[in-house]
Amino acid sequence: MFEFAWIWVLLALPLPIVVYLLPARQEVQPAALKVPHLIKGFAADHISKKTNKIRILIAAVAWSALVIAAARPQWLGEPVNIPAEGRDLMIAVDLSGSMKMEDMEVNGRQVDRLQMIKYVLSDFIERRVGDRLGLILFADTAYLQAPLTYDRDTVNQLLKESLIGLVGEQTAIGDAIGLAIKRFNAREESNKVLILLTDGQNTAGNITPEQANELAINNEVTVYTIGVGADKMMMQSFFGSRQINPSQELDEDMLTQIATSTGGQYFRARDVASLQNIYAKLDELEPIARESRQMRPLQALFYYPLALSLLLTVLLSLYQILSAKGITARLGRTR
């Protein structure tokens, strides 16, 4: 919807006409220079009535555009729902060397565990409207890839750009939990939630999982842990194919303890379908904030009439200068 913020400024539109109609006091002064009748007639003929009307029209349009700009025209967009309450949700993703294991299948193609996480987690991130999301990548230690933000697209893009081995080959689960707690804001109206995805056990870091667990409890951070990896996989060897358990190093007891003690829950993701079900379950456990407030995006438009007024003023000035030079040149030739 189009509107003026200061519509009363438009009252100044007829101001030049009012000034023109006011009686002016004229003082007759003796001419300092006598101009011959021929020159006077030539100058008067040069400025025709048509030219004068064009100048007045340009000046009127420039003045009108200036007044319209001063009235601050603006465009109000359609109402947008704003969540009344959100939550701080940090996602920690394991990038250790074991994530290279290609025991997952996406769209009929064998992929590694990280590719499967990216495929499913992307949709989960898009659904978290109203939540502040953050991204932590961990291996030998934990790194903050994206601070808590409402910009879900950026978090999603940073997740897609992550690479296995980017921060080492081991698994620092304790550091990831500790870093997430440190980055949470102390907002009483916000739920602080950490979703941690890993396929192994803690093998590195400066903080043990037990210490990180205590920090989470003391800071009222809810931790949901997800163990990633298939239970069965066929491995080719010199003696033929054999079945192995690619997730034998997954420390489910430790992940379960951390989750339950903080009020969260441990999940097991063996394939794409199970991980999708986990995220659907997380939507139920940590529901997206309901939308109860509205705002209307505002776009300022004053610079359009302001630019038009400036352009017309410059053109009118140039025209006056060129006209004056033309008159001077013709007067010189008549002499």
Side-chain angles (χ1 to χ4, degrees):
M1 182 180 69
F2 180 82
E3 67 173 22
F4 289 99
W6 299 337
I7 194 170
W8 52 268
V9 177
L10 297 179
L11 296 175
L13 280 173
L15 187 60
I17 300 176
V18 174
V19 174
Y20 178 78
L21 296 177
L22 288 176
R25 179 182 177 184
Q26 297 181 351
E27 296 182 359
V28 179
Q29 296 181 351
L33 178 65
K34 298 290 184 180
V35 180
H37 179 72
L38 179 63
I39 298 177
K40 181 178 179 181
F42 176 80
D45 292 340
H46 180 77
I47 305 175
S48 64
K49 292 182 178 181
K50 182 178 180 180
T51 302
N52 193 41
K53 288 181 179 180
I54 294 176
R55 291 179 180 177
I56 294 175
L57 179 61
I58 294 176
V61 174
W63 170 256
S64 300
L66 183 63
V67 173
I68 291 173
R72 290 182 57 189
Q74 56 192 15
W75 179 265
L76 285 175
E78 294 298 323
V80 177
N81 291 322
I82 299 298
E85 178 185 353
R87 52 189 47 75
D88 292 339
L89 196 153
M90 189 72 75
I91 301 170
V93 179
D94 187 354
L95 295 185
S96 61
S98 57
M99 294 290 286
K100 297 177 182 178
M101 182 71 68
E102 295 186 355
D103 58 347
M104 296 294 165
E105 184 176 318
V106 174
N107 296 329
R109 183 170 59 92
Q110 287 295 124
V111 298
D112 59 49
R113 295 167 176 175
L114 179 60
Q115 291 299 320
M116 188 271 288
I117 289 175
K118 291 179 181 180
Y119 176 77
V120 182
L121 187 55
S122 177
D123 181 63
F124 175 77
I125 291 174
E126 287 299 322
R127 294 200 307 269
R128 305 306 301 187
V129 179
D131 290 348
R132 296 200 307 171
L133 301 180
L135 178 63
I136 291 175
L137 305 177
F138 67 96
D140 289 354
T141 187
Y143 291 91
L144 181 69
Q145 193 70 356
L148 290 166
T149 176
Y150 291 108
D151 189 353
R152 305 188 310 279
D153 292 337
T154 297
V155 176
N156 221 337
Q157 183 62 34
L158 291 173
L159 174 64
K160 293 177 181 178
E161 295 174 356
S162 61
L163 299 172
I164 296 174
L166 183 65
V167 289
E169 296 291 328
Q170 301 186 69
T171 309
I173 295 175
D175 282 8
I177 298 174
L179 179 58
I181 296 170
K182 182 179 180 181
R183 300 301 303 186
F184 282 129
N185 287 342
R187 298 199 311 168
E188 295 181 358
E189 69 275 13
S190 172
N191 297 337
K192 295 177 286 187
V193 180
L194 169 63
I195 299 176
L196 186 140
L197 300 99
T198 183
D199 68 342
Q201 55 185 327
N202 191 82
T203 57
N206 299 314
I207 303 176
T208 65
E210 291 75 20
Q211 293 172 328
N213 190 18
E214 288 298 323
L215 288 173
I217 295 173
N218 294 334
N219 289 274
E220 299 181 348
V221 176
T222 303
V223 182
Y224 293 96
T225 55
I226 302 176
V228 181
D231 289 333
K232 299 177 182 179
M233 181 181 179
M234 299 304 297
M235 176 71 68
Q236 297 293 330
S237 65
F238 180 77
F239 300 100
S241 60
R242 61 189 182 92
Q243 180 176 294
I244 64 170
N245 179 11
S247 301
Q248 58 184 352
E249 295 184 359
L250 180 61
D251 192 346
E252 295 191 88
D253 292 337
M254 180 264 294
L255 296 175
T256 302
Q257 168 61 27
I258 293 175
T260 55
S261 63
T262 58
Q265 190 173 337
Y266 169 68
F267 302 95
R268 185 75 168 86
R270 296 176 174 84
D271 50 33
V272 170
S274 61
L275 189 56
Q276 288 175 333
N277 292 333
I278 291 170
Y279 290 141
K281 184 67 174 177
L282 286 172
D283 283 338
E284 297 177 5
L285 295 173
E286 297 293 338
I288 300 172
R290 293 186 177 181
E291 298 174 334
S292 59
R293 293 184 298 170
Q294 287 187 335
M295 67 166 288
R296 302 187 70 176
L298 177 67
Q299 181 182 3
L301 303 175
F302 71 90
Y303 38 82
Y304 292 112
L306 183 62
L308 176 61
S309 177
L310 179 62
L311 177 62
L312 292 176
T313 303
V314 172
L315 291 177
L316 185 59
S317 300
L318 290 175
Y319 182 78
Q320 295 279 27
I321 293 173
L322 293 176
S323 298
K325 288 184 177 179
I327 294 175
T328 302
R330 294 187 184 186
L331 291 176
R333 285 197 296 269
T334 57
R335 293 177 184 178

